[in-house]
C-alpha cells in the first residue's frame, strides 16, 4: 500500500488517488516540531512507586519509537534536506518568563499538558540528535500550533515556501495543530509518518487518518525522498 491509498478515513474511502504534491526544492521546507529534551527524559524505573512505574511502562512504547524510528529517520531527513539545499526550520515550546506567566491557557491547565519550559533551560532545548545548524530558523511558541503563536507564517512566505513537510511530536497535538494552521493559511502540507509519534501508536495512527487528504498528505520518509528525487 502506498501513501496514495494508506491512512484513508471514512471521508475518503473510495476516493480517487491524489496527485503528487508539488515538492520543488526551492519552495519546500522541512519543519521539525517540539522534539525537545523534556519529552525524552526518563527517571530510573526502580526509583519509582508502583503507580509511577505503571505510568513509566505505559510510555515505554513511545520512547522506543522515538529512539528506534523517529529520531534516526528525522536526523536522516534533515541531513538529506541540508545536502540538497532545502530549508530546514524548527519549532519548540518555551516560555519567555521563569514562572511561565506568558504561557497560553492550554499550557497552564492542570495535568499532563501543564508545561513550564523557560526558554534558556535544558528541558526546553531541542534534542542533541536534531540540533539546528548554521542559520536554520527556530521559532518559540506557547501554543500547540507553530503558526498561531509565532511569526512562522511570515517567515515561510518571505522564504518563498509553498509546501511544508512536518515531523515531530506529538502527532495528535502540536503536529496536528500546526498542520491544520498551515492548511488554513493555504500552505500545502506533507506529514512524515515515521518521523512523528504520539503518546500511543493508536493515537498516532488515528490522527494521521484524520489529517490525511483533508489537511495534507501522509507518507513515509522513504516515499518522500523518492518523490523528491533525494539521495
Amino acid at each position: 500500500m502506498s501513501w496514495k491509498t494508506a491512512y484513508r478515513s471514512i471521508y475518503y474511502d473510495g476516493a480517487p488517488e491524489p496527485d503528487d504534491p508539488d515538492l520543488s526544492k526551492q519552495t519546500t521546507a522541512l519543519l521539525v516540531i517540539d522534539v525537545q529534551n523534556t519529552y525524552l527524559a526518563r527517571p530510573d524505573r526502580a526509583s519509582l512507586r508502583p503507580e509511577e512505574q505503571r505510568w513509566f511502562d505505559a510510555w515505554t512504547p513511545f520512547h522506543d519509537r522515538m529512539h528506534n524510528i523517529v529520531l534516526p529517520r528525522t536526523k536522516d531527513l534533515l541531513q538529506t534536506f541540508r545536502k540538497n539545499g532545502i530549508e530546514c526550520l524548527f519549532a519548540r515550546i518555551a516560555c519567555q518568563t521563569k514562572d511561565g506567566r506568558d504561557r497560553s491557557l492550554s499550557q497552564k491547565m492542570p495535568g499532563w499538558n501543564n508545561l513550564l519550559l523557560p526558554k534558556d533551560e535544558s528541558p526546553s532545548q531541542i534534542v542533541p540528535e536534531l540540533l539546528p545548524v548554521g542559520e536554520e530558523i527556530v521559532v518559540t511558541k506557547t501554543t500547540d500550533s507553530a503558526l498561531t503563536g509565532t511569526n512562522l507564517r511570515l517567515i515561510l512566505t518571505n522564504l518563498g515556501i509553498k509546501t511544508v513537510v512536518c515531523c515531530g511530536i506529538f502527532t495528535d497535538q502540536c503536529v496536528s495543530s500546526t498542520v491544520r494552521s498551515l492548511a488554513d493559511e493555504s500552505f500545502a502540507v506533507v506529514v512524515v509518518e515515521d518521523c512523528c509519534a504520539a503518546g500511543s501508536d493508536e493515537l498516532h495512527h488515528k490522527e494521521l487518518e484524520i489529517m490525511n487528504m483533508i489537511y495534507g498528505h501522509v507518507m513515509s520518509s522513504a516515499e518522500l525522498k523518492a518523490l523528491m528525487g533525494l539521495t
Side-chain angles (χ1 to χ4, degrees):
M1 182 179 293
S2 79
W3 68 270
K4 293 195 175 192
T5 54
Y7 294 106
R8 292 290 188 102
S9 70
I10 191 171
Y11 300 111
Y12 286 92
D13 184 19
E17 293 186 2
D19 295 333
D20 291 347
D22 179 1
L23 292 165
S24 165
K25 294 177 184 178
Q26 291 74 32
T27 59
T28 298
L30 178 65
L31 177 63
V32 181
I33 302 165
D34 296 358
V35 189
Q36 297 168 242
N37 289 333
T38 187
Y39 297 120
L40 276 296
R42 299 202 91 186
D44 177 10
R45 187 182 186 281
S47 69
L48 303 176
R49 300 189 302 272
E51 179 59 24
E52 293 172 328
Q53 289 183 348
R54 185 192 68 79
W55 179 259
F56 182 99
D57 293 341
W59 279 89
T60 293
F62 165 80
H63 286 274
D64 289 345
R65 177 177 175 83
M66 288 299 298
H67 287 289
N68 297 328
I69 299 174
V70 174
L71 289 179
R73 295 190 188 177
T74 304
K75 182 177 180 180
D76 174 74
L77 203 56
L78 277 166
Q79 291 172 339
T80 302
F81 271 51
R82 287 164 177 161
K83 184 172 68 173
N84 285 273
I86 304 170
E87 295 282 359
C88 299
L89 300 94
F90 300 79
R92 67 176 182 128
I93 298 172
C95 51
Q96 303 295 320
T97 57
K98 290 283 187 180
D99 64 2
R101 62 186 181 276
D102 60 305
R103 293 175 296 167
S104 60
L105 178 61
S106 65
Q107 292 180 8
K108 297 176 182 177
M109 298 288 284
W112 183 83
N113 201 46
N114 185 354
L115 298 169
L116 179 57
L117 295 171
K119 61 183 176 64
D120 295 325
E121 296 185 5
S122 177
S124 71
Q125 306 308 310
I126 295 166
V127 298
E129 296 94 327
L130 306 181
L131 283 176
V133 299
E135 295 181 331
E136 290 174 351
I137 294 168
V138 182
V139 295
T140 298
K141 63 191 177 72
T142 55
T143 53
D144 275 14
S145 168
L147 216 67
T148 303
T150 72
N151 66 337
L152 179 59
R153 182 197 59 77
L154 180 60
I155 290 170
L156 293 171
T157 300
N158 289 347
L159 292 173
I161 300 303
K162 297 179 180 179
T163 302
V164 183
V165 176
C166 293
C167 52
I169 53 178
F170 290 85
T171 314
D172 57 323
Q173 296 187 37
C174 291
V175 173
S176 174
S177 292
T178 300
V179 167
R180 284 167 165 77
S181 294
L182 287 165
D184 283 346
E185 294 285 347
S186 294
F187 290 96
V189 184
V190 171
V191 181
V192 189
E193 62 90 6
D194 53 335
C195 294
C196 295
S200 71
D201 282 348
E202 179 183 8
L203 287 171
H204 171 70
H205 290 293
K206 180 53 66 176
E207 188 60 43
L208 292 176
E209 183 181 302
I210 291 168
M211 289 188 289
N212 189 39
M213 296 185 71
I214 298 179
Y215 304 106
H217 296 300
V218 175
M219 62 185 69
S220 69
S221 56
E223 289 173 319
L224 173 66
K225 289 193 291 184
L227 273 176
M228 297 184 72
L230 302 178
T231 58

